[in-house]
Amino acid sequence: MQVTGTVLTTRRVDAYHALTVVAPGIAERYRPGHFVSVAVGGAHTSMITRRALTVHDVKPDYGGTVELVFTVRGPGTAWLAERRARDTLDLVGPLGRPFPLPRDPVHCVLVGAEYGSAVLFPVADALMERGCRVDFLLGGASADRVFGAMRARRMAETTTLTTEDGSLGLRGKVADALPSVIADTRADAVYACGPMETLRAVTAVAIEFDIPVQVAVEESMACGIGVCMTCVIPVIGDDGATRMVRACAEGPVFRGERVRFEDVGTIPFDALGAPGGGARHAG
């Protein structure tokens, strides 16, 4: 659904920005893993594409609010970072496929890198409501790029932090620490969000431990509703065939082992419909 939301609060979270927006219909329909797309630049802008933003928190206040977390990557997100309370935003959402949740109480490790960690906190709330044990593994390039460390420590059984420069927690990347976290927590499942390279490494570790991994991919999404095809990635289906699927519509959450991370940004020769080959694997 499309709504005009009023900005309630703005805040800096270390290297990132957070906007809380009154958006009753979106808040009501939201499930962990959903995202929203936001128009940027104002009424007379030349920026015609929306920005897909992560939902970090949803509350019933004022009929329903969503908190959006992002980093400035260009003129669109720079414009968003300049919004103030009482400004209005054009939002469409909730969009995408949310995280599937286990039926039974299990041990879950939530792995987030950079501001991708923001999407995992609603997941943690939902898992804990089902009686699951939740452990966080969060990381970033430096201390100011590790999102949500304090909140994670308050809500999880354990929280492990990593930074590439060693300024907070363990030196290295989240995937480096994941094997010991899985072993120590006796994890049954992994949920992850972050850059593609992080998700690729996290998935490899989960496969090594033979436990399921759900990943929320961060792809550029111009429309957010599956029309523009800017966010297609190669994903293996139930029939074993690779298809180019839209991260915004069929994702952004996928089973990690189904995503062909090494081929993201390309059309693999054996993908269905690929020039010169894929159709022969259509079955």
Side-chain angles (χ1 to χ4, degrees):
M1 65 181 301
Q2 185 170 11
V3 303
T4 299
T6 301
V7 176
L8 187 64
T9 62
T10 67
R11 65 186 178 112
R12 287 296 301 265
V13 186
D14 294 324
Y16 309 111
H17 298 266
L19 296 176
T20 298
V21 185
V22 180
I26 293 176
E28 181 182 3
R29 293 171 174 79
Y30 170 82
R31 298 292 180 272
H34 280 147
F35 66 94
V36 301
S37 68
V38 184
V40 297
H44 305 291
T45 181
S46 61
M47 293 185 283
I48 59 174
T49 58
R50 291 171 169 267
R51 301 296 184 271
L53 299 185
T54 293
V55 177
H56 171 238
D57 207 0
V58 175
K59 292 182 178 178
D61 308 355
Y62 303 97
T65 65
V66 293
E67 185 175 54
L68 312 175
V69 173
F70 60 96
T71 188
V72 174
R73 286 182 168 174
T77 45
W79 181 86
L80 283 172
E82 295 171 352
R83 297 308 94 200
R84 296 293 178 263
R86 300 184 181 179
D87 287 348
T88 59
L89 292 174
D90 182 329
L91 294 89
V92 174
L95 299 171
R97 172 178 171 267
F99 280 101
L101 301 174
R103 293 181 180 178
D104 302 317
V106 296
H107 293 193
C108 302
V109 175
L110 276 57
V111 185
E114 304 284 329
Y115 70 98
S117 303
V119 74
L120 298 176
F121 289 89
V123 181
D125 287 333
L127 290 170
M128 293 170 71
E129 287 177 1
R130 291 174 179 245
C132 296
R133 168 176 167 147
V134 168
D135 298 89
F136 270 106
L137 170 55
L138 306 177
S142 54
D144 66 334
R145 303 195 71 84
V146 178
F147 183 90
M150 290 182 63
R151 183 178 177 188
R153 283 169 169 154
R154 287 197 299 267
M155 66 190 302
E157 290 287 333
T158 67
T159 298
T160 304
L161 306 176
T162 68
T163 49
E164 294 174 33
D165 66 0
S167 55
L168 179 67
L170 305 172
R171 181 184 294 273
K173 300 182 178 181
V174 288
D176 301 330
L178 184 55
S180 62
V181 173
I182 290 176
D184 292 344
T185 63
R186 299 181 179 180
D188 300 300
V190 173
Y191 292 80
C193 186
M196 280 293 185
E197 189 55 38
T198 297
L199 298 182
R200 176 182 181 177
V202 167
T203 296
V205 174
I207 291 173
E208 180 182 339
F209 280 82
D210 194 25
I211 60 176
V213 53
Q214 298 284 340
V215 301
V217 302
E218 296 178 349
E219 275 292 292
S220 296
M221 302 173 185
C223 73
I225 56 174
V227 175
C228 70
M229 307 296 284
T230 58
C231 62
V232 292
I233 61 174
V235 175
I236 302 170
D238 292 337
D239 58 0
T242 295
R243 294 174 175 81
M244 300 303 293
V245 305
R246 302 161 298 181
C248 67
E250 284 80 24
V253 177
F254 298 97
R255 289 169 56 179
E257 73 277 12
R258 294 289 182 87
V259 179
R260 291 176 58 168
F261 291 106
E262 68 279 9
D263 294 319
V264 169
T266 71
I267 301 176
F269 76 92
D270 58 341
L272 290 179
R280 67 176 179 272
H281 298 293

